[in-house]
Amino acid sequence: MQNINIGIIGAAGYTGGELLRIVINHPHLKVAFAHSKSQVGKPVYSTHTDLLGDTDLVFSGEDIQKLLNQEDLQAIFLCSGHGESKKFLTEYSLPETVKVIDLSTDFRDESNGFTYGLPELQKEKIKQATKIANPGCFATSIELAILPLAKAGLLKEDVHVSAVTGSTGAGQALSATTHFSWRNNNLSIYKAFTHQHLTEIKMSLRKLQAGFEKAVHFVPYRGDFTRGIMANVYTPFSGTLEEANELYKSYYSEHPFTHISEAPIDLKQVVNTNKCLIHLEVHDGQLLISSIIDNLTKGASGQAVQNLNLAFGLPEDAGLRLKAPSF
């Protein structure tokens, strides 16, 4: 199978680094360029030190339009900050033959011809898409926790979510809440009930359960670890645990990365992988759904490659059979 040539805009950040790690080991992808405004001319491994010995790529800094006009370019990933993708697509002319996967929040409302890229929600639409908006990391873990209920029309009351994320979810730029001396041995909440991912979560639920207007009460936590998200979700449920497990296993039966575990789950099972693991419990008429992902892989770069695989007719799991460091 011929290699697909891809470019990365914003390749020096966390998501750019994860994309490079996956793509250079992908059997059908080749990096045409890795662009960075801040690291022009430097070896990729000088920033992403885990790639030393794996690639001799150098960060591109030349005219972006020239890079986009390469005859063999077939897809680009946009890994710059939120708001930058809209500016990028306004400033530069992109050939119609080049597919776009955007990792920012800019087009998750499916504006400007973008398709919301959660394969477990709309895989067939992604296969036909030329512009894909990658979901947010919290949104991915929470949506995967409750999509089967929405599909069955079982979201009858409010949904309550408590979720914790690693420090890489805040990006590479230093801040008061990301440096080691504050984050280590610490825990805090932020954007309680107002987190920006609520908008796409509700949009996705309405795709499966039209007219869903109940509240999603979301309290996010900053964890004192680097990678991973655990979301614990509960909502009223009148069935048994056996019925819940069957509902979830049936919904995800054709999705290679989301699995139902009947044993309790922990973050180390998914870190460095494109998996989502889900564990269900029923307590006094409440269904408790625990959902875990790696925020940088299934929550960002891994899912972006999963979407590219679908859009180009490749095996959905190509380049994404990654092992977790579970010990």
Side-chain angles (χ1 to χ4, degrees):
M1 186 177 293
Q2 186 177 6
N3 282 338
I4 294 167
N5 292 295
I6 66 97
I8 302 173
I9 301 294
Y14 285 143
T15 56
E18 283 299 283
L19 266 174
L20 285 164
R21 178 175 69 88
I22 294 169
V23 169
I24 64 176
N25 290 292
H26 192 292
H28 308 302
L29 302 185
K30 181 180 178 182
V31 182
F33 64 83
H35 189 275
S36 169
K37 294 179 181 178
S38 63
Q39 303 298 315
V40 178
K42 296 180 181 179
V44 162
Y45 61 73
S46 68
T47 296
H48 305 303
T49 55
D50 55 316
L51 296 179
L52 177 62
D54 292 331
T55 180
D56 293 322
L57 275 169
V58 172
F59 286 112
S60 300
E62 63 263 37
D63 178 63
I64 291 178
Q65 191 61 62
K66 180 181 178 180
L67 295 172
L68 297 177
N69 288 340
Q70 296 179 57
E71 288 186 7
D72 58 352
L73 184 67
Q74 293 164 276
I76 61 167
F77 294 93
L78 301 181
C79 298
S80 300
H82 302 307
E84 294 300 315
S85 294
K86 283 186 177 180
K87 294 179 184 178
F88 180 90
L89 293 178
T90 299
E91 185 174 353
Y92 298 103
S93 174
L94 198 64
E96 292 183 1
T97 56
V98 175
K99 296 180 187 289
V100 181
I101 297 99
D102 177 31
L103 279 75
S104 80
T105 191
D106 292 14
F107 301 107
R108 291 175 188 161
D109 60 357
E110 298 196 311
S111 60
N112 200 33
F114 275 79
T115 294
Y116 187 68
L118 185 67
E120 293 82 356
L121 176 62
Q122 43 189 18
K123 183 183 293 190
E124 296 306 313
K125 190 174 180 182
I126 293 167
K127 289 179 180 179
Q128 306 302 319
T130 57
K131 296 191 288 187
I132 300 168
N134 224 51
C137 52
F138 268 134
T140 295
S141 62
I142 295 167
E143 289 170 14
L144 293 177
I146 49 183
L147 287 181
L149 295 175
K151 177 68 174 178
L154 295 176
L155 292 176
K156 303 295 187 181
E157 302 296 338
D158 290 358
V159 177
H160 300 265
V161 184
S162 177
V164 59
T165 186
S167 59
T168 54
Q172 203 170 41
L174 297 177
S175 72
T177 58
T178 59
H179 67 80
F180 178 82
S181 59
W182 188 90
R183 195 100 178 196
N184 188 49
N185 295 322
N186 203 359
L187 190 67
S188 64
I189 66 171
Y190 70 107
K191 297 182 180 178
F193 305 108
T194 63
H195 197 279
Q196 64 272 17
H197 290 181
L198 281 167
T199 300
E200 61 188 280
I201 291 168
K202 292 176 181 177
M203 179 189 77
S204 295
L205 294 178
R206 293 184 187 118
K207 286 179 180 292
L208 295 181
Q209 186 173 327
F212 173 75
E213 296 297 338
K214 296 296 182 178
V216 178
H217 303 290
F218 176 28
V219 180
Y221 289 79
R222 301 180 183 96
D224 67 339
F225 51 92
T226 57
R227 295 175 68 133
I229 288 175
M230 172 175 272
N232 292 297
V233 184
Y234 66 91
T235 194
F237 180 73
S238 60
T240 65
L241 177 58
E242 182 180 30
E243 290 169 336
N245 276 315
E246 181 57 35
L247 176 69
Y248 275 68
K249 288 178 181 178
S250 175
Y251 185 94
Y252 290 117
S253 62
E254 297 183 3
H255 298 285
F257 294 111
T258 302
H259 306 280
I260 314 306
S261 171
E262 296 191 11
I265 54 180
D266 62 86
L267 272 183
K268 279 191 174 181
Q269 291 175 271
V270 296
V271 169
N272 194 52
T273 80
N274 201 52
K275 291 181 182 178
C276 173
L277 298 185
I278 292 173
H279 175 69
L280 306 173
E281 297 179 12
V282 174
H283 298 278
D284 299 323
Q286 297 284 327
L287 180 63
L288 171 64
I289 312 112
S290 296
S291 170
I292 54 174
I293 65 169
D294 185 316
N295 57 292
L296 290 180
T297 41
K298 183 58 174 167
S301 302
Q303 186 150 250
V305 172
Q306 183 182 357
N307 281 323
L308 180 140
N309 287 341
L310 290 170
F312 279 93
L314 300 173
E316 188 173 354
D317 62 352
L320 293 169
R321 289 296 183 182
L322 308 169
K323 184 191 178 299
S326 58
F327 48 82

